[in-house]
């Protein structure tokens, strides 16, 4: 008797090719439900509808299709248990050798604007997860596929093993099945629970060499069923990504996402920018960012918001870099970068989309907050000094403010010509950050702009900035001593604006 395969998929990628190989190469009979059965029929493949096989029609508008003993008995039967075989025969149930299932697109549904609870609920799959769990449990006797990416590997298994998938493959596929249903349930639970319960799960993508230090094991997980963010990036060349690489790449992505209208480049060291700049071309932007602190740029992580061209690639090869990421990379640029084979070059078409929440583990639990993705709006800023900004000064203040948002607090950033000149990051007091940023800027601080992620509790930092040549300051305000800082700015002829928004980054 021919073997039996059950195919019931929402994502029909690769379905017809898989089914044709099953029928023509390996003599499988096919049973299927709903749209999957119709797709197979339209392709000219012989298929029996689940309703015809079970003798029970689809009911409740399609909510009940595969929940039937002839389906689950065929999936769960143990071929080495005599009573199971007798039960199959007594109930006219054929054993099922392959289950191909993927689930209703719940995650994609709730991501749509304006989706209602009722619409979301109808995309909660019941029969699919039941079949996935049942077939994953019984991997000793059948194979389960839940991802089109598995199809070719399964067919190769059949071709190499006399038409039978190896136990090793079946167990690996079962793990993927359970991981798929776990992730699916987590998304549903989070959606329904809203703020009352927060669950986090992921599928292991790869083990990393180590974490922040060699004695710390580390693993990279993918959230959701569809690759997004760094899991969707393409690595063109270079060594495997490390834990620290990924952390720094995410910091670089967050900064570069602030700039969309103009070519921009940032260079990251230990999650802080050592150089960020805008330019008329991406090559110019990178050179300005590099020259902002060429010493710290050594071994840095570079993010660009424009494709890598030959001119930029040539500049990138002039120093040692850990990673480079851009939306794309042209062929000539790839050839140039190949000369530095160890540098990790990645392309990620969407550098602007990031996680909606940030999660930090603490003893006994974890903390969740929404991402700091508020968009700066200069029309809401308050100009508090007598001196008013020119359009150019306002643009410079905005650039400095956007960069400062992504520097570890206490954060101070000095800029000029849309280029960072000095960065004071992660100091225990704001005065210390001011001194570091100004010292790094040196003589270039004359006529430059200074941004602070938090308010100035005293006027001393304003006076220090003015003494170094700073002419404009942007800060959130909110101190009981704001009037002292404003007074000092007026007396020293500075421009000062208050954003009303704080950007601490711990």
């Amino acid at each position: 008797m021919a073997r039996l395969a059950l195919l019931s998929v929402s994502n029909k990628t690769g379905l017809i090719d898989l089914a044709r190989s099953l029928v023509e190469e390996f003599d499988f009979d096919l049973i299927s439900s709903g749209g999957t059965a119709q797709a197979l029929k339209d392709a000219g493949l012989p298929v029996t509808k689940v309703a015809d096989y079970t003798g029970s029609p689809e009911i409740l508008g399609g909510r009940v299709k595969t929940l039937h003993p002839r389906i689950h008995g065929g999936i769960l039967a143990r071929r080495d248990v005599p009573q199971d075989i007798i039960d199959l025969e007594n109930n006219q149930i054929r054993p099922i050798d392959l289950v191909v299932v993927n689930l209703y697109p719940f995650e994609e549904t709730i991501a749509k604007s304006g989706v209602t609870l009722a619409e979301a609920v109808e995309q909660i799959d019941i029969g699919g997860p039941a079949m996935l769990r049942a077939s994953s449990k019984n991997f000793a006797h059948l194979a389960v596929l839940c991802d089109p990416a598995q199809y070719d590997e399964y067919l190769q298994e059949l071709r190499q093993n006399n038409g039978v998938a190896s136990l090793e493959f079946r167990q690996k596929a079962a793990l993927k099945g359970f991981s798929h249903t776990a992730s699916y349930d987590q998304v549903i639970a989070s959606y329904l629970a809203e703020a009352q319960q927060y669950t986090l799960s992921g599928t292991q993508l790869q083990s990393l060499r180590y974490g922040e230090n060699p004695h710390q094991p580390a693993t990279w997980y993918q959230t959701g069923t569809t690759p997004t963010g760094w899991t969707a990036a393409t690595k063109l060349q270079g060594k495997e990504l490390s834990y620290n690489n990924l952390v720094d790449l995410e910091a670089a992505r967050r900064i570069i996402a602030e700039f969309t209208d103009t070519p921009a480049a940032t260079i990251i060291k230990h999650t802080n920018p050592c150089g960020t700049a805008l330019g008329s071309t991406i090559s110019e932007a990178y050179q300005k960012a590099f020259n902002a602190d060429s010493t710290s740029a050594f071994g840095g992580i570079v993010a660009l918001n424009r494709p890598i061209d030959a001119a930029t690639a040539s500049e990138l090869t002039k120093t040692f870099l850990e990673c480079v990421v851009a939306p794309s990379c042209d062929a000539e640029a790839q050839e140039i970068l190949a000369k530095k084979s160890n540098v990790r070059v990645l392309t990620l078409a969407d550098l602007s989309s990031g996680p909606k929440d940030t999660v930090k583990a603490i003893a006994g639990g974890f903390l969740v907050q929404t991402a700091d993705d508020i968009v700066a709006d200069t029309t809401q800023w308050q100009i508090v000094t007598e001196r008013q900004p020119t359009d150019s000064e306002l643009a410079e203040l905005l650039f400095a403010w956007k960069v400062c948002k992504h520097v570890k607090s206490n954060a101070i950033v000095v800029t000029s010509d849309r280029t960072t000149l000095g960065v004071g990051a992660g100091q225990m007091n704001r005065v210390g950050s001011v001194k570091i940023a100004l010292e790094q800027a040196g003589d270039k601080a004359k006529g430059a702009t200074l941004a602070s992620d938090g308010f100035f509790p005293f006027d001393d930092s304003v006076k220090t900035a003015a003494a170094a040549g700073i002419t404009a300051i942007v800060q959130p305000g909110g101190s009981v001593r704001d009037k002292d800082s404003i007074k000092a700015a007026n007396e020293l002829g500075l421009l000062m604006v208050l954003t009303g928004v704080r950007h601490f980054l711990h």
Side-chain angles (χ1 to χ4, degrees), residues 336-489:
I336 294 169
L337 290 167
K339 298 172 184 176
K340 293 275 190 175
S341 59
N342 284 335
V343 64
R344 303 160 177 89
V345 179
L346 296 91
T347 58
L348 180 57
D350 182 9
L351 284 163
S352 62
S353 297
K356 296 178 181 178
D357 300 325
T358 60
V359 181
K360 288 192 177 182
I362 60 172
F366 56 89
L367 306 175
V368 181
Q369 66 174 353
T370 58
D372 185 8
D373 55 7
I374 187 170
V375 178
D377 182 0
T378 58
T379 64
Q380 301 300 310
W381 289 3
Q382 184 182 5
I383 302 164
V384 293
T385 49
E386 295 167 2
R387 190 160 79 78
Q388 300 294 298
T390 64
D391 289 345
S392 178
E393 285 176 320
L394 191 61
E396 191 69 46
L397 288 163
L398 179 60
F399 171 78
W401 182 243
K402 285 182 174 183
V403 176
C404 192
K405 172 182 175 181
H406 300 283
V407 175
K408 291 287 186 180
S409 196
N410 289 309
I412 298 292
V413 173
V414 176
T415 77
S416 181
D417 188 29
R418 317 302 188 268
T419 305
T420 55
L421 303 176
V423 177
Q427 298 305 299
M428 285 63 74
N429 64 77
R430 196 159 299 278
V431 173
S433 288
V434 170
K435 289 180 178 177
I436 289 172
L438 291 173
E439 181 179 352
Q440 191 179 76
D443 291 339
K444 293 180 180 179
K446 292 181 173 61
T449 293
L450 182 147
S452 172
D453 68 341
F455 61 65
F456 294 115
F458 303 100
D459 63 5
D460 50 359
S461 291
V462 176
K463 293 177 179 178
T464 300
I470 294 295
T471 58
I473 293 175
V474 56
Q475 54 127 329
S479 169
V480 295
R481 289 191 172 89
D482 275 350
K483 62 181 183 299
D484 296 338
S485 294
I486 295 168
K487 180 183 177 184

Side-chain angles (χ1 to χ4, degrees), residues 14-329:
L15 170 69
I16 303 305
D17 289 341
L18 171 66
R20 182 166 283 114
S21 293
L22 292 175
V23 172
E24 297 177 358
E25 277 191 71
F26 302 105
D27 195 32
F28 273 84
D29 288 340
L30 307 180
I31 57 174
S32 190
S33 61
T36 307
Q38 189 61 52
L40 295 172
K41 183 179 178 181
D42 291 344
L45 292 167
V47 59
T48 300
K49 290 185 177 180
V50 165
D52 295 333
Y53 176 73
T54 62
S56 297
E58 294 183 9
I59 61 173
L60 306 182
R63 280 189 166 198
V64 178
K65 295 192 279 281
T66 58
L67 298 171
H68 193 280
R70 292 201 77 191
I71 297 299
H72 286 273
I75 292 174
L76 286 166
R78 294 159 292 185
R79 317 297 166 81
D80 56 355
V81 176
Q83 186 58 51
D84 283 10
I85 302 303
I86 292 170
D87 287 342
L88 292 183
E89 292 173 350
N90 289 342
N91 291 278
Q92 297 181 312
I93 298 173
R94 290 178 62 181
I96 296 174
D97 294 279
L98 172 66
V99 174
V100 182
V101 174
N102 53 60
L103 307 178
Y104 293 169
F106 182 84
E107 190 171 12
E108 292 84 346
T109 297
I110 62 174
K112 295 175 183 176
S113 177
V115 67
T116 66
L117 176 61
E119 289 169 337
V121 165
E122 287 308 309
Q123 292 301 318
I124 297 176
D125 203 327
I126 301 301
M131 289 188 291
L132 272 181
R133 290 176 60 81
S135 49
S136 295
K137 174 179 179 176
N138 205 29
F139 68 85
H141 302 284
L142 76 159
V144 57
L145 308 177
C146 63
D147 183 344
Q150 297 173 289
Y151 297 171
D152 285 343
E153 186 180 0
Y154 173 73
L155 292 173
Q156 286 302 317
E157 281 280 319
L158 298 187
R159 291 168 184 140
Q160 294 169 9
N161 298 292
N162 296 318
V164 179
S166 66
L167 179 61
E168 180 183 10
F169 173 85
R170 298 198 307 270
Q171 184 170 348
K172 183 175 70 171
L175 173 59
K176 189 173 181 67
F178 281 123
S179 298
H180 189 40
T181 57
S183 176
Y184 191 77
D185 287 342
Q186 179 265 318
V187 172
I188 296 169
S190 296
Y191 174 76
L192 295 177
E194 295 181 342
Q196 299 170 14
Q197 183 180 14
Y198 192 95
T199 55
L200 182 66
S201 70
T203 302
Q204 181 174 331
L205 197 64
Q206 68 181 78
S207 294
L208 303 172
R209 287 181 61 197
Y210 52 79
E212 287 180 302
N213 299 290
H215 61 274
Q216 295 174 267
T219 307
W220 182 8
Y221 290 89
Q222 173 185 312
T223 56
T225 57
T226 303
T228 59
W230 296 110
T231 64
T234 299
K235 185 161 72 72
L236 301 180
Q237 67 172 58
K239 297 181 290 185
E240 289 297 318
L241 293 168
S242 71
Y243 179 97
N244 289 336
N245 288 158
L246 288 162
V247 171
D248 283 335
L249 280 166
E250 177 60 13
R253 186 204 61 76
R254 288 197 298 265
I255 291 183
I256 214 68
E258 296 281 353
F259 307 103
T260 56
D261 298 334
T262 305
T266 189
I267 306 173
I268 297 292
K269 288 293 287 291
H270 307 296
T271 74
N272 284 303
C274 57
T276 302
L278 306 184
S280 58
T281 65
I282 195 63
S283 177
E284 181 190 21
Y286 170 71
Q287 290 178 66
K288 289 170 67 177
F290 177 81
N291 292 331
D293 185 354
S294 57
T295 300
S296 298
F298 184 86
I301 306 290
V302 176
L304 310 169
N305 72 345
R306 295 291 188 274
I308 306 174
D309 54 21
T312 309
S314 296
E315 292 298 323
L316 290 167
T317 59
K318 291 180 179 179
T319 191
F320 168 65
L321 299 169
E322 285 278 354
C323 304
V324 178
V325 63
S328 62
C329 180

